[in-house]
Amino acid sequence: MASIHPGYDLGPRDAGSNTGDDPTRRAPLVLGGLGFRDVTDRVSRVAVSWPAIWWWVLFVPAVGLAGLFFGLIGYLVTTGVGVWGNNQPNAWGFPIINFVFWVGIGHAGTLISAILFLFRQNWRTSINRFAEAMTIFAVVCAGIFPAIHVGRPWLAYWLFPYPNQMAMWPQFRSPLLWDVFAVSTYASVSLLFWYTGMVPDIATLRDRTKNRIAKIGYGIASLGWTGSSRHWSRFEKAYLLLAALCTPLVLSVHSVVSFDFAVAQLPGWHTTIFPPYFVAGAIFGGFAMVLTLAIPARYLLGFKDIITERHIDNCAKVMLGTGMIVAFAYTTEFFYAWYSGHHYEKAIFLFRPFGPYAWAFWTMFLCNICAPQLMWVKRFRLNPWIVMISAMGVNIGMWFERFVITITSLSNDFLPSSWALFEATWVDGLMFTASFGLFFTNFLLFLKFLPTVAISEVKTVMPAAHASHH
């Protein structure tokens, strides 16, 4: 069979696809015979044209949910945290569960962008912009929950070290304070990394749009980019340095989040496995969310030749691999409880699968352990519906994982006299649901007004970019 690009043969078994595993053939990462101009046209057309109907159909409900979210925050602030189901001993409840869930989702974006960039994994180029945007918007959602959980969010600045007349100083030995600095640093660097990578593509939108206001906006955002050799040289150095800076942050942020639990004395929390377990779980959930966003977006935006089956296949494999690490961590926790001989530890690990929260534990188990196993079969990895169902199952399972960790240990600690079950209120449920409105409002605005795919980076992995193929 003739190849689409010289030197990039699809092979006889995968005609029309690029998912072949033949190591002697380099599979193309852009299909459809697209050239440089075609890639630029397809990506920039979304941003410079009037929004499609599907965009309005999704955007209006998302804005409504985001408005509901802020309305509920106003209700919470004016009424008090009693509207939540939090009690003693379940003082953390839904707000901290939601915080860890959103931070975990925000984890994979920088992983895909920074670490895969440093390891020269070319397949990242079509999906890294999605993942980076997902990181920023997920961290925004995550940051809100601890701020409102303090009860009086207008005093949240007390967490920062500053001279004051009350001689109060933050407790730097508390991982809760480490969270403030870890998440804020991660968000700042991720935002800078995302924006820096977009500068050349924003300049492309500036040059293509006919709208005067949009031209001014893109012109300011592109920082005077001209595409000169000096600009490219500085851009590549800055991007590489930011990628190197982001890489340790990927590992540190969720490790610090895990310390919130691991340094406590509560059964089920006090374990050294939490940092790698949380990091693997965050990558696992993050890739699941990338698939949840990328699969419908490639159809709606007409990017099937740019975000190809190979990209989906690779993401599914990473989700499967990290899912196996998470399964190993689950098993290890039960082994630790048995091997330690610690009565309270053994009791909490019997409480989880057989106690009143067994429904949450088994939901977590089915979604996080069983659903990803479908990805062992290549035919399933190439079916977008099956991949989508598996990824959404993981998204659900990862939220329940945080629920199981947080609630079961808090509600069933050392003294039976202090045991109490947690019951979520309608405010808890609506606030978590409405937080998706904030996330998707930001994400849909990104899809419409910014370059959704890294145009300049995708061109570098196309055969035409390599002189040896001419």
Side-chain angles (χ1 to χ4, degrees):
M1 166 186 174
S3 64
I4 290 176
H5 302 290
Y8 284 68
D9 199 334
L10 299 180
R13 294 182 56 194
D14 297 283
S17 175
N18 60 347
T19 56
D21 296 323
D22 186 349
T24 64
R25 304 171 189 272
R26 178 177 294 179
L29 294 171
V30 177
L31 298 178
L34 300 184
F36 287 167
R37 187 182 183 87
D38 301 314
V39 171
T40 305
D41 287 343
R42 288 203 182 186
V43 178
S44 58
R45 183 178 58 208
V46 177
V48 300
S49 60
W50 185 254
I53 293 176
W54 65 262
W55 188 86
W56 289 109
V57 169
L58 296 176
F59 183 69
V60 172
V63 171
L65 274 178
L68 176 63
F69 183 58
F70 287 110
L72 287 168
I73 291 176
Y75 175 62
L76 171 79
V77 171
T78 55
T79 310
V81 293
V83 298
W84 282 333
N86 297 8
N87 56 22
Q88 289 297 340
N90 301 292
W92 278 13
F94 262 43
I96 300 304
I97 297 169
N98 298 339
F99 161 69
V100 181
F101 171 76
W102 281 116
V103 162
I105 286 178
H107 213 85
T110 304
L111 176 92
I112 292 172
S113 248
I115 294 183
L116 296 185
F117 174 75
L118 294 178
F119 282 97
R120 303 300 182 195
Q121 295 296 305
N122 291 336
W123 64 273
R124 67 179 271 285
T125 53
S126 294
I127 57 169
N128 67 319
R129 192 64 58 72
F130 274 93
E132 292 166 17
M134 180 189 76
T135 288
I136 303 300
F137 307 143
V139 171
V140 168
C141 294
I144 291 175
F145 283 101
I148 57 178
H149 184 252
V150 299
R152 289 180 291 176
W154 54 91
L155 298 178
Y157 68 92
W158 285 8
L159 290 170
F160 293 93
Y162 70 99
N164 60 84
Q165 73 278 12
M166 294 182 291
M168 292 179 63
W169 198 248
Q171 174 56 280
F172 279 100
R173 289 178 294 182
S174 167
L176 296 175
L177 189 63
W178 305 347
D179 258 356
V180 174
F181 294 99
V183 174
S184 58
T185 304
Y186 179 71
S188 305
V189 175
S190 296
L191 181 62
L192 189 59
F193 185 55
W194 180 52
Y195 179 67
T196 302
M198 280 196 298
V199 168
D201 299 335
I202 292 175
T204 301
L205 300 183
R206 174 201 61 194
D207 297 338
R208 288 187 165 240
T209 185
K210 304 295 182 187
N211 185 296
R212 186 173 179 80
I213 297 175
K215 189 176 282 291
I216 293 172
Y218 288 133
I220 295 172
S222 60
L223 305 176
W225 177 270
T226 62
S228 66
S229 298
R230 178 173 294 181
H231 280 188
W232 276 111
S233 174
R234 289 175 176 171
F235 167 78
E236 290 173 0
K237 287 178 182 175
Y239 199 65
L240 180 62
L241 287 173
L242 284 170
L245 186 60
C246 286
T247 301
L249 289 176
V250 171
L251 303 178
S252 69
V253 171
H254 228 55
S255 296
V256 170
V257 172
S258 76
F259 291 156
D260 294 345
F261 300 86
V263 300
Q265 298 297 317
L266 277 181
W269 286 9
H270 190 58
T271 172
T272 54
I273 199 176
F274 263 28
Y277 166 25
F278 269 50
V279 170
I283 298 169
F284 179 46
F287 267 95
M289 185 58 86
V290 168
L291 286 168
T292 305
L293 298 173
I295 290 174
R298 68 191 286 263
Y299 286 99
L300 294 170
L301 299 174
F303 289 170
K304 289 173 65 177
D305 293 327
I306 299 174
I307 303 174
T308 65
E309 289 182 338
R310 190 173 190 84
H311 296 98
I312 304 300
D313 186 37
N314 285 349
C315 286
K317 287 177 182 174
V318 175
M319 187 176 75
L320 173 63
T322 50
M324 297 302 291
I325 297 174
V326 170
F328 176 73
Y330 291 169
T331 309
T332 305
E333 279 194 302
F334 278 88
F335 173 76
Y336 280 174
W338 168 77
Y339 193 66
S340 68
H342 194 279
H343 298 300
Y344 298 106
E345 198 73 15
K346 288 195 289 187
I348 197 67
F349 279 94
L350 287 175
F351 181 73
R352 286 182 178 177
F354 303 114
Y357 296 113
W359 55 273
F361 175 85
W362 291 111
T363 302
M364 174 197 79
F365 187 87
L366 289 172
C367 292
N368 287 350
I369 305 299
C370 300
Q373 303 310 315
L374 296 171
M375 298 299 101
W376 284 105
V377 183
K378 184 175 182 179
R379 182 182 300 174
F380 292 163
R381 293 199 305 272
L382 300 183
N383 186 317
W385 289 103
I386 294 178
V387 175
M388 189 75 179
I389 291 170
S390 179
M392 293 186 72
V394 171
N395 291 326
I396 295 170
M398 289 310 294
W399 187 88
F400 274 100
E401 178 193 290
R402 281 67 183 246
F403 179 91
V404 169
I405 291 173
T406 305
I407 298 301
T408 57
S409 289
L410 284 174
S411 63
N412 200 58
D413 60 6
F414 298 100
L415 294 175
S417 60
S418 65
W419 291 355
L421 296 180
F422 171 81
E423 293 184 7
T425 66
W426 65 271
V427 178
D428 282 313
L430 269 184
M431 191 168 277
F432 173 60
T433 306
S435 65
F436 282 92
L438 177 62
F439 177 82
F440 280 109
T441 297
N442 289 325
F443 191 76
L444 287 164
L445 288 172
F446 156 73
L447 288 185
K448 177 61 198 79
F449 295 107
L450 291 174
T452 315
V453 170
I455 302 172
S456 56
E457 291 192 65
V458 167
K459 289 178 179 176
T460 63
V461 301
M462 294 171 65
H466 305 282
S468 59
H469 294 295
H470 287 288

